[in-house]
Amino acid sequence: MRDLRYQALFLMKWRPLVGRLLRAVDREDARALPELMRELDAVPERDDLPRWGRDVMRRVRGIALLECSKVLRDPALLDRAVDLARAALMEGSTTWEAESLDRSLLAEALAERFEQRGDQQDVDDAITAYRQAWDLCRAADAAPRMPWRKRLRRSWREFWSTEGARPWPPLNKGAKVSTLMSLGDVLFTRFAYLRILDDLHEAVRVSEEAEAYTRTWGWALSGGQGSYGHGRGIALSQYAALLVQRYELFGEAEDIVRAVWLFKDADRLLPRRDDEGPRLARNRVHALTTQGRALRRVEDFTKAASVLRRRAPRDAYWLPQVEILTGRAGVEGSTDGLGEAVDILEAAAGQDGPDTHEALIWLASTLRQWAAHLRDNPPAPGAAADPQPDVGTLWRRSDDAWRRAARREAAPAHRRLHAASRWSAQSARAHPGSAEAAEASALAVRLLPLAAWRGLDRLSQERGLKSVGFGLATGAAADQLAQGDPAQALELLELGRGVLWSQKLDGRTDLKLLGHTSPELAESLTRVRVLLEEARDPSAHTGRVRLLPPP
């Protein structure tokens, strides 16, 4: 009877309500979602329902909260989704399949909360939860299989049992690949925010393992992934995108060549109108243009343009077009297309959206490329040539774009430091000792502590500081001396010289006075200081030296 009551509740009320809510999520209907969430909360979790029925309702409620939070951007909904997932794990799952789903749901909610709030503990816990879910998948693989007669009898008993776990199908290769790909995504998310190189290498390894799963016969027979080609195409696309990221850091040609071939296979497998098509088009264009610049091949840009025409993104995203135009011009040694690229970038930078900082950096680089070409290739006297803008005007516009990118406080610190260092170097070459050069170098030095913040391990801090090159602080001091400000020169020189050393000294502050007034707080700070010093100890990471990119 309890089974029948649950099925009536699920089919007559719960399932239609959740269906309307998820359709509203697909439409991104922010006005209808709050009312639907109130209706969902009004459905009680009755204690007289079977255990597996309560688990289904709790998990579906958590999924609904997570999806709504992505549309409404409400942190309270994310907190509820995390609490529900943790409560399900605390209560204990009846099967490996149920526990793997619980841990994956918790990890997805934690990763979403990290992207909204930036708390490192959330992304660390998300990675741990995904790894635990993957361990359960491997344990299911290693478990001995029952004889078919015994499996049939067990399925029959679970079908009629009121405490069974029949809503959860056995773990197939589709679920395992999905878990691995999600783990790779969240590892790359932590790398993108914290710039820890180990995370990128681990994300590549995990994605390679997921791609290997999709080459098996069992994957072709597994359900839950739409189709064999669709699932394998998504796995290939993720693996290739991570290889491109690693190539841009380490410059190994094998990574970019392999990524281009993987994207070609993914493009062949994914349907043309698939939802993943726009992302695949952008990533494949980026891989082709990167390979074209590395190997100096014009045909790669021609192929990238054909990909963009065939799989045109639904949104007017500027980056693929600019990569094709600027890359082809650089390989051909001309200015063809640079004017069009500048127009596209100025329009993107004027929208003041999340990609404004990236558009400003591309705008400054494109203007610099244009100006450098005109400077190095002046037209011959008396020769007919296309009208070109003034070189000095292009340099000034490039400086202005670097300045705006370096001052944009909403951008990541390492990207601001990149823009400030480029602005400083360009100003120093064009106008040595000028007020603009002094302003640019001073800003770059002041951004050093932000780019090497305490949340990074020691090797990642050192890499962030090395990325701007040596002599930044001394150059800033020289610029200040040229402006007649020795006090500012000394301050910048000391700031650039002791970024890591000042952090270590700050962590050794005497806590005796605090211990008299608040012993618990002093003890907690001491523990944190010990953990920080262990994380900063280079001897604890000797095996990671080989992971550093070449200087």
Side-chain angles (χ1 to χ4, degrees), residues 109-421:
L110 287 169
E112 181 68 23
R113 192 164 72 174
F114 167 74
E115 293 188 7
Q116 290 191 15
R117 296 183 180 176
D119 187 353
Q120 184 179 348
Q121 188 62 44
D122 283 341
V123 72
D124 293 343
D125 291 344
I127 291 173
T128 300
Y130 271 130
R131 282 176 172 155
Q132 290 170 344
W134 171 238
D135 289 340
L136 289 169
C137 293
R138 289 194 298 183
D141 269 349
R145 294 180 59 84
M146 298 184 205
W148 68 271
R149 294 174 186 239
K150 189 173 182 180
R151 289 202 307 270
L152 183 60
R153 288 196 298 268
R154 180 180 176 181
S155 299
W156 183 258
R157 286 197 304 269
E158 287 179 353
F159 181 79
W160 291 104
S161 171
T162 59
E163 297 296 331
R166 56 191 177 189
W168 309 114
L171 287 172
N172 55 22
K173 288 188 179 293
K176 295 168 188 174
V177 169
S178 178
T179 302
L180 273 175
M181 291 177 63
S182 299
L183 175 57
D185 277 338
V186 74
L187 281 167
F188 180 73
T189 298
R190 190 168 71 174
F191 164 76
Y193 280 84
L194 304 181
R195 313 304 292 179
I196 299 174
L197 294 172
D198 279 353
D199 287 339
L200 178 59
H201 286 276
E202 183 67 12
V204 172
R205 187 197 64 79
V206 166
S207 298
E208 183 178 11
E209 190 173 355
E211 187 271 333
Y213 258 104
T214 64
R215 284 188 267 116
T216 62
W217 173 249
W219 162 263
L221 298 179
S222 62
Q225 293 297 311
S227 69
Y228 165 75
H230 181 268
R232 176 162 169 76
I234 294 176
L236 287 169
S237 180
Q238 175 179 299
Y239 180 31
L242 291 173
L243 285 174
V244 174
Q245 292 286 338
R246 192 167 70 174
Y247 168 78
E248 292 176 345
L249 276 177
F250 294 89
E252 295 183 5
E254 181 182 354
D255 281 345
I256 188 62
V257 173
R258 181 168 176 78
V260 168
W261 279 103
L262 291 173
F263 274 129
K264 181 179 179 181
D265 288 343
D267 197 355
R268 177 176 54 82
L269 291 170
L270 283 179
R272 183 174 179 181
R273 297 300 180 187
D274 189 81
D275 292 338
E276 292 292 324
R279 182 186 303 177
L280 172 63
R282 291 194 292 265
N283 290 338
R284 189 180 179 196
V285 166
H286 178 60
L288 284 167
T289 54
T290 302
Q291 179 178 261
R293 287 192 299 269
L295 303 181
R296 313 294 295 177
R297 296 197 316 191
V298 178
E299 56 266 27
D300 285 332
F301 299 99
T302 304
K303 191 177 299 182
S306 67
V307 170
L308 199 60
R309 286 194 300 269
R310 184 167 49 85
R311 284 188 180 268
R314 297 186 183 93
D315 54 344
Y317 196 56
W318 50 267
L319 184 55
Q321 306 172 58
V322 170
E323 286 182 321
I324 294 171
L325 292 170
T326 58
R328 186 194 297 271
V331 172
E332 292 179 342
S334 68
T335 60
D336 296 341
L338 293 183
E340 181 181 354
V342 167
D343 292 340
I344 294 172
L345 288 168
E346 286 180 338
Q351 294 178 359
D352 198 21
D355 297 324
T356 299
H357 187 264
E358 193 71 19
L360 285 170
I361 291 179
W362 272 94
L363 176 60
S365 300
T366 305
L367 289 167
R368 181 182 62 185
Q369 176 184 348
W370 198 353
H373 183 272
L374 294 179
R375 179 197 61 195
D376 299 336
N377 301 277
D386 295 335
Q388 297 284 355
D390 181 62
V391 176
T393 303
L394 292 176
W395 283 121
R396 285 192 295 271
R397 291 170 63 187
S398 177
D399 286 339
D400 180 65
W402 285 127
R403 180 190 297 109
R404 291 164 58 191
R407 289 178 175 175
R408 190 171 180 82
E409 296 182 355
H414 70 278
R415 299 297 290 163
R416 292 184 64 196
L417 178 60
H418 168 78
S421 62

